Amino acid sequence: MHISEIKILNKLPRLKSSYVKAGILMSLLAYWGVILVGTFVTFN
Amino acid sequence: MEVFLPIAQVFVNPIEILLLSAIVGVLSGLFGVGGGFLMTPFLIFLGIPPAYAVANEANNILATSVSGSTTYYLKNILDYKMGFIIVIGGAIGTTVGIYTFSYFKGIGKIDTVISLAYMYILAIIGTLMLVESLREIDQAKRNVLAKKKAHVHYWIHGLPVRMRFPKSKLYESIFTPIFIGLVVGFIAAIMGIGGAFILVPAMIYIIKMPTKLVPGTSLFVTIFVSVIVTFLHSFNYGSIDLLLVLMLVIGSIIGVQVGQKLGERIDSSGLRALLAILLLIVGIAIAYDTFFANEILNNVQSNTNKDLNFFSEFIIDFSNEMPFFYGLFTIMFAIILGVAAAFIRKFVSNLKIKLLIRSK
């Protein structure tokens, strides 16, 4: 079997890109969480 | 080496201010964004009280806008009629903004309000810019062409009191540009920014102006809005420090030139994601200062008026005794610096051409 025919290897770059996107999304959510909670706490 | 700012009543390192304003100027020239929403937080980090940082940055924006608009003025690529209508809204927005500023200053919350406003603006712009640039990178990788929407009409285009704008070839309700000016003026008064990050997309996507007329018209509006902001801040609070403005203008004008030259040589679209991350980092740094380190900032001791040199005493007396004329003087000072920068730029560019011709 040729190495290029292994499906999981072909999926790797796309998987990596998905992880990066998920990471960025999580970071942005955490970022917004910090500033929203911080604002809420400051005004209380 | 530290210099005492007589109006802001703090000691600053002039090299730090010059370097920072030059760096922000480079980013501004490279990415085509105004430097106000980066420079004001940097001034706050350097220990300048937020209310003073806002006012002085507005004066710096006036000088850089005057310097930058000369090209568009000479080439006549700006819509004066549209610009004036936006300025009407801008004047109303600025006045409302200054009243809001006075209210929060009165209850002693202005520094917190400015910090929070910056934190949210930086977070919003940073998030939008990051998502947009990542989408662009993704599309470039997949070789997908972004579909452009055809001419879309929103409810805003059905508003009454329509007027013809021959230069932009538009037949538009005057309420749309007035409303945009109102928002820009309000934000400029509270945050000391030019508002190009709202004006430019609004002119392109909401008013539907031709893209070539947008930068000149945006600068034209910014000049008037920052004149009103500078004057009102100077007249009401005496918060313009000429020494600080001078350092900011020198740094940013040099930086913008370098940034524009760099922008001609490199493709900045990939770097946009980095700028977005920088904005988010500055936003979170302000959040840290606002939520956790407020006590540290509040403990920064102001200097008393003892041992001031002649220049500092003159500025304080001028600002306190003749606030109206001091306001006018700060505007003239910024305009003269802007025009001088434009002339120097023209002179240097002519000199370069002459040297190139001679070398051939």
Side-chain angles (χ1 to χ4, degrees):
Chain A
M1 196 163 74
H2 208 266
I3 197 155
S4 61
E5 285 167 19
I6 305 171
K7 281 183 181 173
I8 196 150
L9 281 183
N10 291 333
K11 279 184 183 173
L12 260 180
R14 208 187 299 165
L15 205 66
K16 198 177 144 194
S17 153
S18 303
Y19 274 121
V20 170
K21 277 180 194 167
I24 291 167
L25 190 72
M26 294 298 278
S27 315
L28 281 175
L29 281 176
Y31 182 92
W32 276 96
V34 167
I35 61 171
L36 287 173
V37 170
T39 312
F40 183 75
V41 170
T42 307
F43 277 101
N44 278 289
Chain B
M1 187 184 76
E2 289 200 320
V3 169
F4 180 66
L5 299 176
I7 300 284
Q9 298 271 301
V10 285
F11 282 97
V12 290
N13 187 334
I15 298 164
E16 271 179 3
I17 301 254
L18 280 169
L19 263 178
L20 268 178
S21 57
I23 292 168
V24 172
V26 170
L27 293 174
S28 179
L30 190 58
F31 298 106
V33 292
F37 58 82
L38 268 177
M39 197 57 217
T40 313
F42 285 154
L43 288 178
I44 296 169
F45 292 147
L46 288 178
I48 292 164
Y52 290 89
V54 163
N56 287 286
E57 183 53 28
N59 207 8
N60 176 32
I61 287 167
L62 171 60
T64 43
S65 305
V66 168
S67 161
S69 64
T70 48
T71 319
Y72 300 103
Y73 170 73
L74 291 172
K75 289 182 185 170
N76 197 22
I77 41 173
L78 59 137
D79 189 340
Y80 289 104
K81 195 174 176 183
M82 182 66 83
F84 272 120
I85 302 279
I86 300 175
V87 166
I88 292 170
I92 302 165
T94 310
T95 315
V96 176
I98 289 288
Y99 273 112
T100 315
F101 192 96
S102 299
Y103 169 74
F104 284 115
K105 203 176 166 74
I107 60 168
K109 287 277 177 197
I110 190 62
D111 291 354
T112 314
V113 168
I114 292 171
S115 300
L116 284 177
Y118 265 101
M119 190 182 73
Y120 278 103
I121 282 281
L122 289 169
I124 292 167
I125 299 171
T127 306
L128 292 176
M129 215 181 225
L130 188 65
V131 171
E132 183 67 26
S133 56
L134 289 177
R135 192 181 292 154
E136 270 177 25
I137 293 168
D138 203 37
Q139 281 173 348
K141 269 186 187 171
R142 291 186 196 172
N143 284 328
V144 178
L145 278 175
K147 279 182 189 171
K148 271 195 174 178
K149 281 184 182 173
H151 196 77
V152 184
H153 279 271
Y154 302 108
W155 61 270
I156 213 161
H157 298 112
L159 290 173
V161 196
R162 292 181 148 204
M163 190 183 262
R164 285 199 192 281
F165 296 94
K167 187 98 183 183
S168 299
K169 292 176 185 154
L170 287 170
Y171 183 54
E172 187 100 26
S173 164
I174 58 164
F175 289 119
T176 316
I178 285 179
F179 179 73
I180 291 164
L182 208 122
V183 174
V184 169
F186 184 79
I187 291 176
I190 295 199
M191 300 175 71
I193 49 182
F197 71 96
I198 297 172
L199 262 178
V200 173
M203 281 175 174
I204 296 173
Y205 299 111
I206 299 176
I207 303 180
K208 311 266 182 198
M209 275 175 74
T211 318
K212 67 168 184 174
L213 296 175
V214 169
T217 316
S218 163
L219 278 173
F220 176 78
V221 173
T222 307
I223 289 173
F224 281 92
V225 169
S226 48
V227 160
I228 303 168
V229 173
T230 304
F231 182 76
L232 290 178
H233 271 285
S234 179
F235 183 69
N236 289 326
Y237 318 114
S239 46
I240 307 282
D241 200 307
L242 294 178
L243 203 60
L244 178 59
V245 172
L246 183 68
M247 289 187 270
L248 288 174
V249 172
I250 292 172
S252 54
I253 283 177
I254 294 170
V256 168
Q257 299 303 316
V258 176
Q260 282 174 346
K261 294 280 170 208
L262 270 176
E264 287 166 10
R265 289 178 192 181
I266 56 171
D267 178 25
S268 61
S269 58
L271 293 173
R272 206 167 274 268
L274 288 178
L275 178 70
I277 292 166
L278 175 71
L279 296 183
L280 292 172
I281 291 169
V282 176
I284 208 77
I286 296 174
Y288 175 77
D289 269 352
T290 316
F291 303 146
F292 307 112
N294 243 351
E295 292 82 12
I296 302 166
L297 280 176
N298 290 340
N299 286 342
V300 174
Q301 285 188 344
S302 59
N303 204 56
T304 51
N305 283 2
K306 291 171 189 169
D307 305 327
L308 293 179
N309 59 28
F310 170 75
F311 180 68
S312 302
E313 276 185 1
F314 172 73
I315 289 179
I316 292 173
D317 290 343
F318 190 13
S319 158
N320 290 337
E321 288 166 18
M322 290 184 273
F324 181 82
F325 289 106
Y326 185 74
L328 289 183
F329 183 77
T330 53
I331 291 166
M332 289 311 295
F333 183 69
I335 292 174
I336 290 166
L337 283 178
V339 173
F343 270 109
I344 292 169
R345 194 175 56 210
K346 184 93 182 155
F347 175 75
V348 171
S349 117
N350 284 344
L351 198 73
K352 265 186 185 174
I353 294 167
K354 275 181 190 170
L355 285 174
L356 267 174
I357 293 168
R358 269 188 203 171
S359 65
K360 280 178 184 174

